């Protein structure tokens, strides 16, 4: 297959491309604007492959997308390009509306026009896979609020997004499903929980905590740190996405999660314990933890029911949170150059998204 991946220089997109080049025979066209979050350094290990091509293109630019589709004639699209950081969406929602909604619309139209030129089995086999988040479902009851079996997000959970980020991701999911229903355009959607792992831009909780810890800086925890996220190792997500684009059914939604519900404070403390072991110093890293004002509109709990993708596509995560987190900390310790290079711009891990 020839797969057009949007956002392939980002955290998850680069994991998908490394997976495609290293573990399949497929070809990849990486379409990425290279915002602050896109870094070609995350792809150096595959960039020389004859099966890899890169196009620096904004998904809002229709003429450029038309050129890319006409040139490469892909068999599938995996759409990951997005503005992805909730805190940034609070400070400045405009880029989120533009890329996540207008960009998805523009990509859908360019892909549909190209699909209409295909014939026979190539047209029938074409897939447009939209990669989305569990944040579109809003938040779930927290153990503080109820006892007994706590509910999980299923594929049928109604949408109730809380932040500008999740609201525009929800909007893009609706566009993708409408393009199937109205035009018969063969789409599928996945909604995944929080990812973590190597090559994660250090504005997100786990890499930010690792790097701040190593530099002796405060480890900021929002509110009481009791928010619950369901963590998935990024390479497990990449494998799940490949299963969906190659074996998933058109029109279906698949929730993807790691069965790893953790409170943020426990994630931070676990990173500190791993660092105490791998990079010991006179004081314990946990002494650097500081509690800061909570995020406005902060969702309290996310948790995914991933039984559908497990049952129908035989996917299960390979990493536990403990093995994945240790691998992640080890990767950041061994890849300080990558961390320094991606932070060359104006961002210095300062607090974002406080009103
Ligand atoms: N990170 C998570 O935990 C998580 C969880 C579930 C779903 N998702 C979804 O997965 C996708 C990828 O997330 P990520 O964490 O890798 O994001 P990221 O911010 O690390 O990467 C986004 C990539 O998209 C590119 N991009 C941004 N705007 C663009 C535009 N207009 N045109 C072309 N490229 C553009 C950036 O340059 C970057 O390479 C997103 O759609 C996100 O909503 C993320």
């Amino acid at each position: 297959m020839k797969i057009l991946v949007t956002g392939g220089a980002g955290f998850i997109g680069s994991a998908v491309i490394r997976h495609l080049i290293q573990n399949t025979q497929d070809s990849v066209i990486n379409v990425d604007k290279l915002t602050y979050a896109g870094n070609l350094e995350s792809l150096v290990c595959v960039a020389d492959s004859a099966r890899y091509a890169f196009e620096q293109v904004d998904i809002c630019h229709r003429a450029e997308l038309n050129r890319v589709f006409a040139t490469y004639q892909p068999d599938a699209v995996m759409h990951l390009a997005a503005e992805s950081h909730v805190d940034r969406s609070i400070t400045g929602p405009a880029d989120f509306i533009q890329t996540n909604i207008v960009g998805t619309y523009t990509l859908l139209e360019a892909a549909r026009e190209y699909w209409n030129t295909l014939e026979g089995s190539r047209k029938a086999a074409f897939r447009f896979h939209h990669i989305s988040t569990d944040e579109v479902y809003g938040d779930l009851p927290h153990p503080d609020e109820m006892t007994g079996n706590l509910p999980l997000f299923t594929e049928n959970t109604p949408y109730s997004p809380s932040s500008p980020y999740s609201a525009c991701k929800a909007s893009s999911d609706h566009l993708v499903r409408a393009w199937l229903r109205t035009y018969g355009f063969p789409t599928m959607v996945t909604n995944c929980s929080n990812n973590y792992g190597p090559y994660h831009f250090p504005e997100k909780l786990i890499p930010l905590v690792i790097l701040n810890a190593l530099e002796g800086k405060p480890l900021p925890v929002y509110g009481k740190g009791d928010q619950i996220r369901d963590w998935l190792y990024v390479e497990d997500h990449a494998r799940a996405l490949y299963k969906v684009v190659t074996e998933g059914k058109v029109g279906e939604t698949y929730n993807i999660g790691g069965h790893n519900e953790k409170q943020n404070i426990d994630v931070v403390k676990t990173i500190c314990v791993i660092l105490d072991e791998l990079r010991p110093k006179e004081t314990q890293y946990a002494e650097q933890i500081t509690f800061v004002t909570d995020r406005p509109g902060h969702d309290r709990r996310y948790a995914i029911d991933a039984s559908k993708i497990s049952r129908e596509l035989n996917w299960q995560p390979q990493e536990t949170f403990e093995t994945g987190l240790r691998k992640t900390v080890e990767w950041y310790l061994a890849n300080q150059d990558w961390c320094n290079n991606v932070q060359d711009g104006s961002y210095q891990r300062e607090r974002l998204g406080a009103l």
Side-chain angles (χ1 to χ4, degrees):
M1 281 171 80
K2 266 188 273 178
I3 303 181
L4 189 159
V5 177
T6 70
F11 169 48
I12 302 172
S14 69
V16 168
I17 292 180
R18 290 190 301 273
H19 177 75
L20 290 171
I21 298 296
Q22 290 168 347
N23 301 307
T24 78
Q25 292 307 310
D26 299 333
S27 301
V28 177
I29 308 102
N30 176 13
V31 170
D32 197 300
K33 180 182 173 183
L34 296 184
T35 68
Y36 78 95
N39 296 291
L40 293 178
E41 267 196 67
S42 308
L43 292 163
V44 280
C45 58
V46 295
D48 290 340
S49 168
R51 291 183 287 118
Y52 171 77
F54 173 64
E55 291 279 352
Q56 184 168 4
V57 165
D58 185 334
I59 58 163
C60 300
H61 197 311
R62 176 67 187 271
E64 277 292 276
L65 289 178
N66 288 351
R67 178 186 62 76
V68 170
F69 276 102
T71 306
Y72 294 96
Q73 303 274 315
D75 302 298
V77 172
M78 297 175 80
H79 174 36
L80 295 102
E83 288 292 336
S84 69
H85 188 34
V86 175
D87 287 343
R88 283 183 196 264
S89 83
I90 295 168
T91 310
D95 287 347
F96 288 73
I97 304 299
Q98 188 62 19
T99 286
N100 299 1
I101 303 179
V102 178
T104 298
Y105 156 72
T106 310
L107 180 69
L108 277 168
E109 280 296 78
R112 186 170 71 90
E113 186 180 305
Y114 159 74
W115 173 70
N116 275 326
T117 68
L118 300 177
E119 287 176 353
S121 58
R122 281 207 75 202
K123 185 167 190 176
F126 185 84
R127 298 287 180 266
F128 185 101
H129 176 185
H130 176 63
I131 284 81
S132 192
T133 166
D134 61 353
E135 300 191 29
V136 297
Y137 299 124
D139 62 359
L140 288 164
H142 193 277
D144 285 354
E145 295 157 10
M146 67 177 280
T147 51
N149 282 346
L150 290 166
L152 305 172
F153 294 136
T154 73
E155 288 78 3
N156 298 319
T157 302
Y159 276 30
S160 182
S162 312
S163 69
Y165 163 68
S166 53
C168 60
K169 286 299 290 187
S171 173
S172 66
D173 294 10
H174 291 317
L175 291 175
V176 168
R177 293 193 180 102
W179 258 238
L180 170 73
R181 174 95 188 241
T182 302
Y183 303 109
F185 184 57
T187 66
M188 50 242 273
V189 177
T190 50
N191 296 88
C192 187
S193 60
N194 276 39
N195 283 216
Y196 70 101
Y199 302 100
H200 205 180
F201 190 79
E203 62 189 357
K204 306 275 170 71
L205 179 70
I206 289 178
L208 184 133
V209 164
I210 297 169
L211 297 186
N212 274 15
L214 292 172
E215 290 173 22
K217 292 182 174 165
L219 310 181
V221 173
Y222 290 177
K224 291 188 286 180
D226 61 352
Q227 307 84 5
I228 293 173
R229 301 290 178 261
D230 179 359
W231 294 94
L232 180 67
Y233 192 64
V234 67
E235 291 173 15
D236 279 324
H237 189 193
R239 287 190 309 103
L241 295 178
Y242 190 63
K243 280 249 175 198
V244 171
V245 78
T246 53
E247 299 172 35
K249 282 201 199 126
V250 167
E252 293 292 323
T253 295
Y254 299 91
N255 278 358
I256 309 172
H259 315 292
N260 286 312
E261 284 188 56
K262 305 282 175 199
Q263 295 201 7
N264 285 347
I265 184 67
D266 294 330
V267 172
V268 175
K269 285 180 178 168
T270 308
I271 294 170
C272 290
V273 170
I274 297 172
L275 282 173
D276 285 336
E277 179 197 326
L278 298 181
R279 193 57 68 84
K281 60 183 177 91
E282 279 176 14
T283 55
Q284 295 195 321
Y285 288 96
E287 291 175 25
Q288 291 165 233
I289 293 174
T290 54
F291 293 89
V292 301
T293 319
D294 207 351
R295 169 189 283 168
H298 207 172
D299 288 331
R300 291 202 71 206
R301 174 172 170 258
Y302 304 138
I304 283 271
D305 175 352
S307 56
K308 177 176 172 181
I309 188 171
S310 161
R311 191 174 59 246
E312 296 186 8
L313 301 182
N314 191 25
W315 171 86
Q316 278 90 30
Q318 291 178 356
E319 299 291 342
T320 64
F321 189 65
E322 289 66 32
T323 59
L325 192 60
R326 179 170 284 270
K327 276 190 184 176
T328 304
V329 174
E330 286 170 349
W331 187 88
Y332 278 91
L333 288 173
N335 289 279
Q336 293 283 300
D337 283 351
W338 181 91
C339 300
N340 294 335
N341 294 344
V342 302
Q343 293 176 99
D344 267 356
S346 54
Y347 175 65
Q348 299 296 326
R349 300 203 298 278
E350 65 274 18
R351 173 78 193 264
L352 300 169
L355 294 180

PDB file of all heavy atoms in Angstrom, residues 81-111:
ATOM      1  N   ALA A  81      -2.639  15.010  11.368  1.00  0.00           N
ATOM      2  CA  ALA A  81      -2.238  16.413  11.529  1.00  0.00           C
ATOM      3  C   ALA A  81      -3.287  17.156  12.347  1.00  0.00           C
ATOM      4  O   ALA A  81      -4.479  17.083  12.062  1.00  0.00           O
ATOM      5  CB  ALA A  81      -2.082  17.074  10.163  1.00  0.00           C
ATOM      6  N   ALA A  82      -2.829  17.842  13.364  1.00  0.00           N
ATOM      7  CA  ALA A  82      -3.749  18.599  14.219  1.00  0.00           C
ATOM      8  C   ALA A  82      -2.933  19.497  15.128  1.00  0.00           C
ATOM      9  O   ALA A  82      -1.747  19.269  15.349  1.00  0.00           O
ATOM     10  CB  ALA A  82      -4.593  17.648  15.074  1.00  0.00           C
ATOM     11  N   GLU A  83      -3.589  20.526  15.635  1.00  0.00           N
ATOM     12  CA  GLU A  83      -3.085  21.196  16.836  1.00  0.00           C
ATOM     13  C   GLU A  83      -3.577  20.334  17.985  1.00  0.00           C
ATOM     14  O   GLU A  83      -4.767  19.996  18.053  1.00  0.00           O
ATOM     15  CB  GLU A  83      -3.634  22.609  16.930  1.00  0.00           C
ATOM     16  CG  GLU A  83      -3.046  23.574  15.913  1.00  0.00           C
ATOM     17  CD  GLU A  83      -1.576  23.878  16.153  1.00  0.00           C
ATOM     18  OE1 GLU A  83      -1.095  23.737  17.302  1.00  0.00           O
ATOM     19  OE2 GLU A  83      -0.891  24.249  15.183  1.00  0.00           O
ATOM     20  N   SER A  84      -2.678  19.967  18.911  1.00  0.00           N
ATOM     21  CA  SER A  84      -3.030  18.880  19.838  1.00  0.00           C
ATOM     22  C   SER A  84      -2.925  19.212  21.326  1.00  0.00           C
ATOM     23  O   SER A  84      -3.213  18.348  22.152  1.00  0.00           O
ATOM     24  CB  SER A  84      -2.136  17.664  19.546  1.00  0.00           C
ATOM     25  OG  SER A  84      -0.798  17.950  19.925  1.00  0.00           O
ATOM     26  N   HIS A  85      -2.515  20.434  21.674  1.00  0.00           N
ATOM     27  CA  HIS A  85      -2.266  20.680  23.101  1.00  0.00           C
ATOM     28  C   HIS A  85      -3.405  21.503  23.717  1.00  0.00           C
ATOM     29  O   HIS A  85      -3.611  22.670  23.342  1.00  0.00           O
ATOM     30  CB  HIS A  85      -0.927  21.395  23.261  1.00  0.00           C
ATOM     31  CG  HIS A  85      -0.491  21.526  24.694  1.00  0.00           C
ATOM     32  ND1 HIS A  85      -0.759  20.570  25.657  1.00  0.00           N
ATOM     33  CD2 HIS A  85       0.197  22.496  25.334  1.00  0.00           C
ATOM     34  CE1 HIS A  85      -0.262  20.954  26.813  1.00  0.00           C
ATOM     35  NE2 HIS A  85       0.326  22.119  26.648  1.00  0.00           N
ATOM     36  N   VAL A  86      -4.116  20.906  24.676  1.00  0.00           N
ATOM     37  CA  VAL A  86      -5.288  21.550  25.283  1.00  0.00           C
ATOM     38  C   VAL A  86      -4.928  22.933  25.842  1.00  0.00           C
ATOM     39  O   VAL A  86      -5.657  23.912  25.630  1.00  0.00           O
ATOM     40  CB  VAL A  86      -5.878  20.672  26.411  1.00  0.00           C
ATOM     41  CG1 VAL A  86      -7.021  21.397  27.111  1.00  0.00           C
ATOM     42  CG2 VAL A  86      -6.354  19.337  25.859  1.00  0.00           C
ATOM     43  N   ASP A  87      -3.808  23.040  26.551  1.00  0.00           N
ATOM     44  CA  ASP A  87      -3.449  24.332  27.154  1.00  0.00           C
ATOM     45  C   ASP A  87      -3.276  25.417  26.094  1.00  0.00           C
ATOM     46  O   ASP A  87      -3.704  26.557  26.263  1.00  0.00           O
ATOM     47  CB  ASP A  87      -2.157  24.202  27.967  1.00  0.00           C
ATOM     48  CG  ASP A  87      -2.378  23.441  29.262  1.00  0.00           C
ATOM     49  OD1 ASP A  87      -3.544  23.302  29.690  1.00  0.00           O
ATOM     50  OD2 ASP A  87      -1.380  22.975  29.847  1.00  0.00           O
ATOM     51  N   ARG A  88      -2.643  25.075  24.972  1.00  0.00           N
ATOM     52  CA  ARG A  88      -2.490  26.057  23.883  1.00  0.00           C
ATOM     53  C   ARG A  88      -3.845  26.434  23.306  1.00  0.00           C
ATOM     54  O   ARG A  88      -4.053  27.570  22.869  1.00  0.00           O
ATOM     55  CB  ARG A  88      -1.605  25.491  22.762  1.00  0.00           C
ATOM     56  CG  ARG A  88      -0.135  25.506  23.071  1.00  0.00           C
ATOM     57  CD  ARG A  88       0.682  25.012  21.887  1.00  0.00           C
ATOM     58  NE  ARG A  88       2.022  24.682  22.334  1.00  0.00           N
ATOM     59  CZ  ARG A  88       3.073  25.505  22.259  1.00  0.00           C
ATOM     60  NH1 ARG A  88       2.938  26.679  21.696  1.00  0.00           N
ATOM     61  NH2 ARG A  88       4.245  25.133  22.717  1.00  0.00           N
ATOM     62  N   SER A  89      -4.786  25.485  23.272  1.00  0.00           N
ATOM     63  CA  SER A  89      -6.113  25.776  22.697  1.00  0.00           C
ATOM     64  C   SER A  89      -6.877  26.755  23.570  1.00  0.00           C
ATOM     65  O   SER A  89      -7.755  27.470  23.089  1.00  0.00           O
ATOM     66  CB  SER A  89      -6.916  24.490  22.493  1.00  0.00           C
ATOM     67  OG  SER A  89      -7.567  24.054  23.673  1.00  0.00           O
ATOM     68  N   ILE A  90      -6.549  26.799  24.856  1.00  0.00           N
ATOM     69  CA  ILE A  90      -7.203  27.751  25.766  1.00  0.00           C
ATOM     70  C   ILE A  90      -6.632  29.148  25.527  1.00  0.00           C
ATOM     71  O   ILE A  90      -7.362  30.137  25.441  1.00  0.00           O
ATOM     72  CB  ILE A  90      -7.003  27.293  27.228  1.00  0.00           C
ATOM     73  CG1 ILE A  90      -7.714  25.953  27.461  1.00  0.00           C
ATOM     74  CG2 ILE A  90      -7.500  28.365  28.208  1.00  0.00           C
ATOM     75  CD1 ILE A  90      -7.345  25.265  28.763  1.00  0.00           C
ATOM     76  N   THR A  91      -5.316  29.226  25.374  1.00  0.00           N
ATOM     77  CA  THR A  91      -4.668  30.519  25.146  1.00  0.00           C
ATOM     78  C   THR A  91      -4.974  31.070  23.757  1.00  0.00           C
ATOM     79  O   THR A  91      -5.202  32.274  23.603  1.00  0.00           O
ATOM     80  CB  THR A  91      -3.131  30.368  25.301  1.00  0.00           C
ATOM     81  OG1 THR A  91      -2.878  29.695  26.523  1.00  0.00           O
ATOM     82  CG2 THR A  91      -2.434  31.699  25.292  1.00  0.00           C
ATOM     83  N   GLY A  92      -4.995  30.205  22.745  1.00  0.00           N
ATOM     84  CA  GLY A  92      -5.185  30.688  21.369  1.00  0.00           C
ATOM     85  C   GLY A  92      -5.918  29.668  20.524  1.00  0.00           C
ATOM     86  O   GLY A  92      -5.296  28.846  19.853  1.00  0.00           O
ATOM     87  N   PRO A  93      -7.257  29.693  20.525  1.00  0.00           N
ATOM     88  CA  PRO A  93      -8.011  28.651  19.797  1.00  0.00           C
ATOM     89  C   PRO A  93      -7.959  28.773  18.270  1.00  0.00           C
ATOM     90  O   PRO A  93      -8.293  27.813  17.579  1.00  0.00           O
ATOM     91  CB  PRO A  93      -9.458  28.835  20.293  1.00  0.00           C
ATOM     92  CG  PRO A  93      -9.475  30.004  21.210  1.00  0.00           C
ATOM     93  CD  PRO A  93      -8.116  30.588  21.311  1.00  0.00           C
ATOM     94  N   ALA A  94      -7.535  29.924  17.726  1.00  0.00           N
ATOM     95  CA  ALA A  94      -7.679  30.141  16.270  1.00  0.00           C
ATOM     96  C   ALA A  94      -6.974  29.072  15.439  1.00  0.00           C
ATOM     97  O   ALA A  94      -7.549  28.522  14.495  1.00  0.00           O
ATOM     98  CB  ALA A  94      -7.159  31.536  15.903  1.00  0.00           C
ATOM     99  N   ASP A  95      -5.728  28.749  15.789  1.00  0.00           N
ATOM    100  CA  ASP A  95      -4.995  27.737  15.003  1.00  0.00           C
ATOM    101  C   ASP A  95      -5.696  26.381  15.068  1.00  0.00           C
ATOM    102  O   ASP A  95      -5.599  25.571  14.139  1.00  0.00           O
ATOM    103  CB  ASP A  95      -3.572  27.562  15.554  1.00  0.00           C
ATOM    104  CG  ASP A  95      -2.679  28.743  15.219  1.00  0.00           C
ATOM    105  OD1 ASP A  95      -3.075  29.568  14.371  1.00  0.00           O
ATOM    106  OD2 ASP A  95      -1.587  28.849  15.825  1.00  0.00           O
ATOM    107  N   PHE A  96      -6.368  26.123  16.180  1.00  0.00           N
ATOM    108  CA  PHE A  96      -7.056  24.835  16.359  1.00  0.00           C
ATOM    109  C   PHE A  96      -8.268  24.736  15.446  1.00  0.00           C
ATOM    110  O   PHE A  96      -8.520  23.705  14.822  1.00  0.00           O
ATOM    111  CB  PHE A  96      -7.470  24.656  17.830  1.00  0.00           C
ATOM    112  CG  PHE A  96      -6.295  24.386  18.727  1.00  0.00           C
ATOM    113  CD1 PHE A  96      -5.396  25.398  19.043  1.00  0.00           C
ATOM    114  CD2 PHE A  96      -6.065  23.127  19.245  1.00  0.00           C
ATOM    115  CE1 PHE A  96      -4.288  25.161  19.842  1.00  0.00           C
ATOM    116  CE2 PHE A  96      -4.964  22.872  20.045  1.00  0.00           C
ATOM    117  CZ  PHE A  96      -4.072  23.889  20.343  1.00  0.00           C
ATOM    118  N   ILE A  97      -9.022  25.849  15.373  1.00  0.00           N
ATOM    119  CA  ILE A  97     -10.188  25.861  14.486  1.00  0.00           C
ATOM    120  C   ILE A  97      -9.703  25.688  13.046  1.00  0.00           C
ATOM    121  O   ILE A  97     -10.276  24.928  12.258  1.00  0.00           O
ATOM    122  CB  ILE A  97     -10.960  27.206  14.627  1.00  0.00           C
ATOM    123  CG1 ILE A  97     -11.358  27.466  16.089  1.00  0.00           C
ATOM    124  CG2 ILE A  97     -12.165  27.255  13.692  1.00  0.00           C
ATOM    125  CD1 ILE A  97     -12.257  26.463  16.705  1.00  0.00           C
ATOM    126  N   GLN A  98      -8.635  26.404  12.714  1.00  0.00           N
ATOM    127  CA  GLN A  98      -8.133  26.386  11.347  1.00  0.00           C
ATOM    128  C   GLN A  98      -7.646  24.986  10.946  1.00  0.00           C
ATOM    129  O   GLN A  98      -8.130  24.404   9.979  1.00  0.00           O
ATOM    130  CB  GLN A  98      -7.004  27.426  11.211  1.00  0.00           C
ATOM    131  CG  GLN A  98      -6.510  27.649   9.815  1.00  0.00           C
ATOM    132  CD  GLN A  98      -7.576  28.185   8.872  1.00  0.00           C
ATOM    133  OE1 GLN A  98      -8.596  28.729   9.306  1.00  0.00           O
ATOM    134  NE2 GLN A  98      -7.377  27.990   7.584  1.00  0.00           N
ATOM    135  N   THR A  99      -6.715  24.438  11.687  1.00  0.00           N
ATOM    136  CA  THR A  99      -6.150  23.144  11.263  1.00  0.00           C
ATOM    137  C   THR A  99      -7.127  21.997  11.511  1.00  0.00           C
ATOM    138  O   THR A  99      -7.365  21.161  10.637  1.00  0.00           O
ATOM    139  CB  THR A  99      -4.818  22.881  11.996  1.00  0.00           C
ATOM    140  OG1 THR A  99      -3.829  23.737  11.430  1.00  0.00           O
ATOM    141  CG2 THR A  99      -4.367  21.438  11.859  1.00  0.00           C
ATOM    142  N   ASN A 100      -7.708  21.950  12.700  1.00  0.00           N
ATOM    143  CA  ASN A 100      -8.476  20.751  13.053  1.00  0.00           C
ATOM    144  C   ASN A 100      -9.824  20.692  12.326  1.00  0.00           C
ATOM    145  O   ASN A 100     -10.276  19.601  11.981  1.00  0.00           O
ATOM    146  CB  ASN A 100      -8.678  20.672  14.572  1.00  0.00           C
ATOM    147  CG  ASN A 100      -7.348  20.595  15.319  1.00  0.00           C
ATOM    148  OD1 ASN A 100      -6.290  20.625  14.713  1.00  0.00           O
ATOM    149  ND2 ASN A 100      -7.400  20.498  16.632  1.00  0.00           N
ATOM    150  N   ILE A 101     -10.442  21.853  12.106  1.00  0.00           N
ATOM    151  CA  ILE A 101     -11.738  21.832  11.409  1.00  0.00           C
ATOM    152  C   ILE A 101     -11.552  22.151   9.920  1.00  0.00           C
ATOM    153  O   ILE A 101     -11.844  21.329   9.061  1.00  0.00           O
ATOM    154  CB  ILE A 101     -12.737  22.824  12.055  1.00  0.00           C
ATOM    155  CG1 ILE A 101     -12.928  22.496  13.549  1.00  0.00           C
ATOM    156  CG2 ILE A 101     -14.078  22.747  11.317  1.00  0.00           C
ATOM    157  CD1 ILE A 101     -13.871  23.441  14.288  1.00  0.00           C
ATOM    158  N   VAL A 102     -11.035  23.362   9.628  1.00  0.00           N
ATOM    159  CA  VAL A 102     -10.904  23.745   8.211  1.00  0.00           C
ATOM    160  C   VAL A 102      -9.918  22.810   7.498  1.00  0.00           C
ATOM    161  O   VAL A 102     -10.152  22.389   6.358  1.00  0.00           O
ATOM    162  CB  VAL A 102     -10.463  25.226   8.090  1.00  0.00           C
ATOM    163  CG1 VAL A 102     -10.284  25.628   6.632  1.00  0.00           C
ATOM    164  CG2 VAL A 102     -11.470  26.134   8.782  1.00  0.00           C
ATOM    165  N   GLY A 103      -8.836  22.458   8.178  1.00  0.00           N
ATOM    166  CA  GLY A 103      -7.850  21.551   7.575  1.00  0.00           C
ATOM    167  C   GLY A 103      -8.444  20.176   7.286  1.00  0.00           C
ATOM    168  O   GLY A 103      -8.213  19.595   6.223  1.00  0.00           O
ATOM    169  N   THR A 104      -9.212  19.647   8.229  1.00  0.00           N
ATOM    170  CA  THR A 104      -9.821  18.327   8.001  1.00  0.00           C
ATOM    171  C   THR A 104     -10.819  18.399   6.847  1.00  0.00           C
ATOM    172  O   THR A 104     -10.865  17.514   5.982  1.00  0.00           O
ATOM    173  CB  THR A 104     -10.496  17.823   9.292  1.00  0.00           C
ATOM    174  OG1 THR A 104      -9.490  17.682  10.295  1.00  0.00           O
ATOM    175  CG2 THR A 104     -11.185  16.478   9.082  1.00  0.00           C
ATOM    176  N   TYR A 105     -11.599  19.474   6.821  1.00  0.00           N
ATOM    177  CA  TYR A 105     -12.547  19.662   5.707  1.00  0.00           C
ATOM    178  C   TYR A 105     -11.803  19.709   4.366  1.00  0.00           C
ATOM    179  O   TYR A 105     -12.176  19.041   3.388  1.00  0.00           O
ATOM    180  CB  TYR A 105     -13.356  20.957   5.930  1.00  0.00           C
ATOM    181  CG  TYR A 105     -13.894  21.542   4.666  1.00  0.00           C
ATOM    182  CD1 TYR A 105     -14.952  20.932   3.999  1.00  0.00           C
ATOM    183  CD2 TYR A 105     -13.314  22.673   4.096  1.00  0.00           C
ATOM    184  CE1 TYR A 105     -15.414  21.443   2.795  1.00  0.00           C
ATOM    185  CE2 TYR A 105     -13.775  23.180   2.904  1.00  0.00           C
ATOM    186  CZ  TYR A 105     -14.828  22.574   2.257  1.00  0.00           C
ATOM    187  OH  TYR A 105     -15.275  23.062   1.070  1.00  0.00           O
ATOM    188  N   THR A 106     -10.714  20.500   4.323  1.00  0.00           N
ATOM    189  CA  THR A 106      -9.967  20.663   3.066  1.00  0.00           C
ATOM    190  C   THR A 106      -9.361  19.333   2.626  1.00  0.00           C
ATOM    191  O   THR A 106      -9.404  18.963   1.444  1.00  0.00           O
ATOM    192  CB  THR A 106      -8.861  21.732   3.256  1.00  0.00           C
ATOM    193  OG1 THR A 106      -9.454  22.898   3.839  1.00  0.00           O
ATOM    194  CG2 THR A 106      -8.203  22.110   1.948  1.00  0.00           C
ATOM    195  N   LEU A 107      -8.829  18.592   3.592  1.00  0.00           N
ATOM    196  CA  LEU A 107      -8.239  17.280   3.278  1.00  0.00           C
ATOM    197  C   LEU A 107      -9.317  16.312   2.793  1.00  0.00           C
ATOM    198  O   LEU A 107      -9.106  15.557   1.829  1.00  0.00           O
ATOM    199  CB  LEU A 107      -7.547  16.742   4.540  1.00  0.00           C
ATOM    200  CG  LEU A 107      -6.875  15.383   4.394  1.00  0.00           C
ATOM    201  CD1 LEU A 107      -5.644  15.465   3.488  1.00  0.00           C
ATOM    202  CD2 LEU A 107      -6.455  14.843   5.773  1.00  0.00           C
ATOM    203  N   LEU A 108     -10.469  16.314   3.457  1.00  0.00           N
ATOM    204  CA  LEU A 108     -11.563  15.432   3.028  1.00  0.00           C
ATOM    205  C   LEU A 108     -11.946  15.724   1.578  1.00  0.00           C
ATOM    206  O   LEU A 108     -12.147  14.796   0.780  1.00  0.00           O
ATOM    207  CB  LEU A 108     -12.798  15.656   3.922  1.00  0.00           C
ATOM    208  CG  LEU A 108     -12.849  14.933   5.255  1.00  0.00           C
ATOM    209  CD1 LEU A 108     -13.977  15.506   6.119  1.00  0.00           C
ATOM    210  CD2 LEU A 108     -13.052  13.426   5.061  1.00  0.00           C
ATOM    211  N   GLU A 109     -12.046  16.998   1.234  1.00  0.00           N
ATOM    212  CA  GLU A 109     -12.462  17.351  -0.127  1.00  0.00           C
ATOM    213  C   GLU A 109     -11.384  16.990  -1.153  1.00  0.00           C
ATOM    214  O   GLU A 109     -11.706  16.483  -2.239  1.00  0.00           O
ATOM    215  CB  GLU A 109     -12.811  18.846  -0.204  1.00  0.00           C
ATOM    216  CG  GLU A 109     -14.204  19.143   0.319  1.00  0.00           C
ATOM    217  CD  GLU A 109     -15.294  18.473  -0.529  1.00  0.00           C
ATOM    218  OE1 GLU A 109     -15.494  17.245  -0.350  1.00  0.00           O
ATOM    219  OE2 GLU A 109     -15.915  19.140  -1.346  1.00  0.00           O
ATOM    220  N   ALA A 110     -10.122  17.225  -0.810  1.00  0.00           N
ATOM    221  CA  ALA A 110      -9.043  16.862  -1.746  1.00  0.00           C
ATOM    222  C   ALA A 110      -9.011  15.342  -1.918  1.00  0.00           C
ATOM    223  O   ALA A 110      -8.863  14.833  -3.043  1.00  0.00           O
ATOM    224  CB  ALA A 110      -7.701  17.371  -1.221  1.00  0.00           C
ATOM    225  N   ALA A 111      -9.174  14.615  -0.805  1.00  0.00           N
ATOM    226  CA  ALA A 111      -9.127  13.150  -0.874  1.00  0.00           C
ATOM    227  C   ALA A 111     -10.329  12.606  -1.649  1.00  0.00           C
ATOM    228  O   ALA A 111     -10.214  11.666  -2.432  1.00  0.00           O
ATOM    229  CB  ALA A 111      -9.092  12.565   0.542  1.00  0.00           C
TER     230      ALA A 111
END
